[in-house]
Amino acid sequence: MNCISTTGRSPMWAALAAARRRGAWTAFLVANTLDGDSHDVADHVVDYAVRLVRKTRPGSPDAPEDITRMLNWGAGPRASQCLILGAKARAVLEGRIHVSCNDIRRAAVPVLRHRIITSYEAEAENINSDHIIRRILDHTDVP
């Protein structure tokens, strides 16, 4: 078993090591308990999460035109918070205490899929929310 060494480290490291041993749900809880705010996440990572969510909103100047016509409803502000929390849990599972933009990208589909409502046009073209989220990820530059 690959565990994080806690020798000479803070109690947070012990919590992270225990979370990795117990699995994903525990990692999610530890990530949420250690810090519910996003102040320990780099500003560029928070900005990236916010930009992704803004691009899901029809009529937003940030949203690409082809995406806008496929959506009736976009994700709200809590989606950014959930992206960051999901990314924190992924970082914990991988033994890191920092969150990267790649963690945000990997959390995007599960976090956003139920928060956006596709348009009739998208449904007629057999395009679902997962497809739209992947297109948004492709249209958003990673800092």
Side-chain angles (χ1 to χ4, degrees), residues 20-50:
R20 287 193 70 209
R21 287 191 298 270
R22 290 190 181 101
W25 180 243
T26 303
F28 177 80
L29 293 175
V30 168
N32 191 25
T33 303
L34 288 178
D35 187 11
D37 298 328
S38 61
H39 76 272
D40 62 334
V41 177
D43 289 342
H44 74 279
V45 176
V46 173
D47 291 341
Y48 182 66
V50 170

Side-chain angles (χ1 to χ4, degrees), residues 96-115:
R96 294 179 284 115
I97 60 171
H98 69 278
V99 176
S100 70
C101 290
N102 190 43
D103 295 321
I104 298 288
R105 289 179 67 83
R106 292 178 69 186
V109 173
V111 168
L112 297 175
R113 77 166 39 117
H114 70 283
R115 296 174 186 271

Side-chain angles (χ1 to χ4, degrees), residues 61-76:
D62 298 331
E65 182 61 35
D66 62 326
I67 299 296
T68 299
R69 69 179 176 78
M70 292 185 207
L71 292 172
N72 280 340
W73 195 262

